[in-house]
Structures are given as structure tokens and as C-alpha cells.
């Protein structure tokens, strides 16, 4: 008997399907409000750290990290502040798919000095939001993100924009994300209901602690809509997390 390999249901999702989860004027009120809560908490956290730069990550792929990062950037842009969204996932970039942008030049090209920021950045993708896509997939992502050229790019962006938000690779897949620790105020960890496990969260926190940096909070996605007033709380070691969309660590 010949075995036929089939794709998992989640693999059938196209870029167009995922783009439908990006915030628009037609998005559900509860989702929009959830990101507003996340935005407010994050603004206060960054202010306390005197930073205007944050990285968004997850433990593994398929948890909705890139979509959550885009939605966070869109929510920030609604405040009227100038926002720069950067795709630093140079191995599996996705922001250009979600926002339907060209990815001819981007981060890798600017760092490799094959292009400059002013021509690579997508201006006003929506009002107050600029986007720098990943560019060509390089053979050495870690070396590029750890280079002084990337540090210079981010530092200049932090002066030009009110907030810089970076979509980074999953912590449990590669170590690229933690190379950015000196450039950001901290990390927001995306967790997905019924997908991310307590063990995943534990390992992510251990990695961040070993890198001598911090998790600013958790952004929970894929939440089921429940009746008003109902809240289910899970306890895990010395912190709890619940069904709100964002909660501080």
C-alpha cells in the first residue's frame, strides 16, 4: 500500500487567508479593544524603561506572532505617533505577505549595503505607519542581525520614529531574536490558546533570563469569545495568565 502524505489543516492557510486577520475598520470590537489594552500597557512599560523599541516573538512557529505584531503596530499608529515596523525574521519573513507589500529590498539589503533605508522603507502603509520588510533571504541571518550595521539602523530609526516595533523569529527555533536584546526595551511573547503550552512558556522565559533581558508581557491570541463576566484563570508557578488579550509579566 502506498502512503500518501497530507498537509495539516493549518498548512492549507494561504497568505491571503492570514491577511484577513490583520486589523481593519471592520474588525471585531473585542479584538480591537484587546490590542488597545496591549498598546496602553506596553506604552507604560516602555516609558518606565525609557525606551521606544520593542521586539515581538513567540516560542514556535504557527502561533500567530507576525499577525499579532502587525496588529500591534496598527494599533500604535492609531495614536497618531510615527511608527516603524521592521521584519527581522530573515529566515521566514511574513510581514510583506500580511500587508501585501513588495519585498524587493529590505533589512538584509540595507545591512549588506546593497540599498539604503530611505528607498527600502514603505512609507505610510497606513497613516503614521512605515514598514521595513526583510528583503532578500540572506545565508547568514544571525551575523547580519548581530552586526554594527543593524545596530546603527535601529538606533537611527529610534531617533526618527516615536516607536519601533520588530517582528522577530521564534525563540524556540533560532537564537537570532536574543541578539537584539541591547536594542530593545524588552520582548512581548505571543502565546496561542490551545497551542502554546506551559512548558513552552517556561522555556521561553528561561532563554530570556539567560540572555539577561526581560519579557514585558504576554499577548494571547486565538482566544475563544465567552460570555460576559466569565473568566478562567490558569496558575503557573509564580505568575498567572488569563483570557485577556494582553497581560504584563
Amino acid at each position: 500500500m502506498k502512503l500518501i502524505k497530507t498537509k495539516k489543516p493549518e498548512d492549507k492557510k494561504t497568505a491571503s487567508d492570514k491577511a484577513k486577520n490583520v486589523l481593519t475598520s471592520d474588525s471585531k470590537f473585542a479584538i480591537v479593544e484587546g490590542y488597545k489594552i496591549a498598546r496602553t500597557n506596553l506604552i507604560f512599560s516602555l516609558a518606565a524603561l525609557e525606551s521606544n523599541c520593542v521586539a515581538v516573538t513567540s516560542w514556535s512557529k504557527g502561533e500567530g506572532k507576525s499577525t499579532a505584531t502587525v496588529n500591534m503596530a496598527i494599533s500604535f499608529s492609531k495614536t497618531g505617533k510615527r511608527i516603524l515596523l521592521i521584519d527581522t525574521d530573515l529566515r521566514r519573513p511574513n510581514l510583506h505577505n500580511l500587508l501585501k507589500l513588495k519585498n524587493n529590498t529590505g533589512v538584509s539589503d540595507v545591512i549588506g549595503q546593497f540599498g539604503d533605508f530611505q528607498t527600502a522603507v514603505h512609507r505610510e502603509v497606513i497613516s503614521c505607519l512605515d514598514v521595513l520588510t526583510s528583503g532578500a533571504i540572506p545565508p547568514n541571518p544571525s551575523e547580519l542581525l548581530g552586526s554594527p550595521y543593524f545596530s546603527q539602523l535601529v538606533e537611527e530609526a529610534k531617533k526618527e520614529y516615536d516607536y519601533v516595533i520588530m517582528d522577530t523569529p521564534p525563540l524556540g527555533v533560532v537564537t537570532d531574536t536574543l541578539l537584539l536584546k541591547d536594542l530593545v526595551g524588552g520582548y512581548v511573547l505571543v502565546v496561542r490558546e490551545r497551542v502554546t503550552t506551559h512548558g513552552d512558556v517556561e522555556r521561553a522565559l528561561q532563554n530570556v533570563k539567560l540572555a539577561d533581558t526581560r519579557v514585558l508581557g504576554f499577548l494571547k491570541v486565538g482566544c475563544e469569545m465567552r460570555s460576559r463576566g466569565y473568566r478562567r484563570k490558569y496558575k503557573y508557578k509564580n505568575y498567572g495568565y488569563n483570557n485577556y488579550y494582553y497581560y504584563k509579566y
Side-chain angles (χ1 to χ4, degrees):
M1 179 183 294
K2 185 177 181 180
L3 298 178
I4 300 175
K5 294 183 179 180
T6 58
K7 293 183 178 180
K8 295 180 181 179
E10 60 267 25
D11 292 335
K12 295 180 180 179
K13 289 185 178 180
T14 63
S16 177
D17 292 330
K18 294 178 181 178
K20 293 178 182 178
N21 294 322
V22 172
L23 289 182
T24 67
S25 58
D26 297 324
S27 295
K28 292 181 179 179
F29 175 80
I31 296 175
V32 174
E33 287 300 305
Y35 278 102
K36 284 183 179 179
I37 294 171
R39 179 188 72 199
T40 300
N41 289 341
L42 191 51
I43 287 174
F44 280 115
S45 295
L46 290 173
L49 296 167
E50 298 183 344
S51 175
N52 66 338
C53 185
V54 64
V56 183
T57 188
S58 62
W59 175 250
S60 61
K61 64 181 182 179
E63 294 179 310
K65 166 186 61 67
S66 294
T67 303
T69 308
V70 168
N71 289 341
M72 182 69 72
I74 292 174
S75 184
F76 264 77
S77 71
K78 299 301 181 183
T79 65
K81 301 291 186 180
R82 294 196 64 206
I83 311 300
L84 177 65
L85 175 61
I86 306 178
D87 194 342
T88 64
D89 192 344
L90 302 184
R91 300 172 191 268
R92 294 174 60 91
N94 197 31
L95 295 191
H96 62 285
N97 292 323
L98 293 170
L99 293 169
K100 300 179 181 179
L101 301 173
K102 292 183 178 180
N103 192 30
N104 299 328
T105 58
V107 173
S108 60
D109 303 281
V110 175
I111 301 174
Q113 299 181 312
F114 298 112
D116 64 274
F117 175 82
Q118 298 303 327
T119 56
V121 68
H122 296 267
R123 302 285 183 182
E124 295 287 318
V125 173
I126 62 174
S127 180
C128 298
L129 176 62
D130 292 354
V131 179
L132 182 62
T133 59
S134 65
I137 297 178
N140 55 342
S142 297
E143 287 79 3
L144 288 182
L145 294 177
S147 71
Y149 296 109
F150 182 71
S151 296
Q152 182 180 355
L153 167 64
V154 175
E155 292 300 334
E156 290 179 355
K158 287 159 69 173
K159 294 176 183 177
E160 182 177 347
Y161 292 88
D162 294 302
Y163 292 100
V164 177
I165 300 174
M166 292 190 278
D167 180 30
T168 66
L171 285 170
V173 178
V174 291
T175 59
D176 299 3
T177 297
L178 296 177
L179 294 173
L180 312 177
K181 68 184 185 72
D182 294 330
L183 302 175
V184 302
Y187 295 87
V188 170
L189 184 64
V190 174
V191 295
R192 189 170 194 85
E193 185 169 310
R194 301 181 184 276
V195 175
T196 309
T197 68
H198 286 173
D200 294 339
V201 174
E202 170 71 13
R203 286 186 288 272
L205 292 174
Q206 286 179 346
N207 284 8
V208 170
K209 183 178 180 180
L210 287 173
D212 194 26
T213 182
R214 63 185 64 83
V215 170
L216 300 179
F218 298 88
L219 183 61
K220 188 177 183 182
V221 300
C223 303
E224 295 180 3
M225 303 305 294
R226 298 183 174 89
S227 59
R228 181 176 299 179
Y230 177 81
R231 187 174 78 170
R232 181 177 62 186
K233 194 168 185 179
Y234 303 86
K235 286 294 185 180
Y236 181 70
K237 284 199 172 181
N238 63 337
Y239 64 92
Y241 66 89
N242 51 45
N243 284 325
Y244 295 153
Y245 286 91
Y246 179 85
Y247 31 93
K248 292 181 66 179
Y249 171 60

